[in-house]
Amino acid sequence: GDRTALAGPFDIVGDVHGCGDEFEALLARLGWRRDAGAAWTHPHGRTLVLVGDLVDRGPRTPDVLRSAMAMHAAGTALVVPGNHDDKLRRHLAGRRVQVTHGLEASLAQLARETPAFRAAVHDFVDALPTHLRLAGDALLVAHAGLPLALHGRSGARVRDFVLYGQTTGELDEHGLPVRLDWAADYHGAALVVYGHTPVVAAEWVNQTICIDTGCVFGGHLTALRWPERELVSVPAEQVHCQPAKPLAPAAPARSAQQELDDVLDLGDVTGKRVI
């Protein structure tokens, strides 16, 4: 979505995956204050930006959704969808999806909510923009990132990339998709902030940064404060879900994104991309 008129400041938070305790701890550390309901406000007028994958695997998906939806409605938060959010949306719409990769946890938790809440979750995710252009096009937020050639564009190709990234169509020795490291070749002027691929620590690659630091896998939940370019993290309270491969430091010759690609869980793989 074109929100270039919004100048910030922003607190951009990586993949939450239902980790409600850590989400609330991070907001508090960033100076946000909870109101009488599910929404939070910031005394200095900051705006929260969520990079997607709010749901699945963690223990408090409905609470995370409730806060995100309340803040989005109040205008204090902006949200882009992740592939897990989109898969939940499709399930709630009655479409056939495989109930795997943490979706089963979300559905069990949402079963305890009202039909009206589940319908509101569907409508919320369904209306989200594929990505956000902010601060006069100085900042772009997309779940899996976005290469320069797709900036300012829309359509199926953009939607596929921001939800899933790009794969070679091959599987590695762990049976997981081999991803193309688009950030290594990115030379745009806009800073691209994304998540989707768990890394041990957020790292700058050209004008990009991945802030999914694997909270649900026992890592950290990380925020990037913009324009300050300051990283703020809180540790996971526990390992909520075992990754396909334990999080480990990247080898010096490779970026963390490349080294930890095999912890990425894209879901169901068909051909060259996941569906």
Side-chain angles (χ1 to χ4, degrees), residues 25-81:
L26 180 59
L27 288 178
R29 185 170 177 187
L30 290 165
W32 290 77
R33 299 171 182 171
R34 192 164 196 166
D35 64 17
W40 297 65
T41 57
H42 199 284
H44 299 140
R46 302 183 72 90
T47 298
L48 184 70
V49 183
L50 298 171
V51 306
D53 277 2
L54 305 178
V55 309
D56 292 356
R57 299 190 174 117
R60 294 182 56 200
T61 282
D63 293 335
V64 172
L65 286 168
R66 194 171 281 110
S67 289
M69 292 161 64
M71 296 168 73
H72 186 269
T76 55
L78 301 169
V79 186
V80 295

Side-chain angles (χ1 to χ4, degrees), residues 106-193:
S106 292
L107 296 182
Q109 294 163 32
L110 286 169
R112 299 190 288 268
E113 302 292 332
T114 65
F117 180 76
R118 292 191 293 272
V121 168
H122 168 273
D123 294 347
F124 168 67
V125 177
D126 192 53
L128 294 176
T130 57
H131 61 289
L132 290 166
R133 296 163 50 207
L134 303 166
D137 267 335
L139 178 65
L140 187 145
V141 178
H143 176 63
L146 196 66
L148 183 59
L150 297 181
H151 286 202
R153 298 177 63 179
S154 60
R157 187 180 175 195
V158 171
R159 181 175 178 80
D160 287 349
F161 199 104
V162 299
L163 288 179
Y164 308 112
Q166 188 175 17
T167 67
T168 65
E170 301 173 335
L171 301 180
D172 64 15
E173 64 272 23
H174 303 278
L176 298 173
V178 175
R179 295 191 65 224
L180 296 176
D181 189 3
W182 66 273
D185 297 320
Y186 178 76
H187 299 292
L191 171 63
V192 180
V193 184

Side-chain angles (χ1 to χ4, degrees), residues 218-232:
H220 292 75
L221 187 62
T222 295
L224 172 69
R225 301 177 76 239
W226 193 94
E228 299 88 346
R229 291 187 174 227
E230 174 191 358
L231 291 165
V232 179

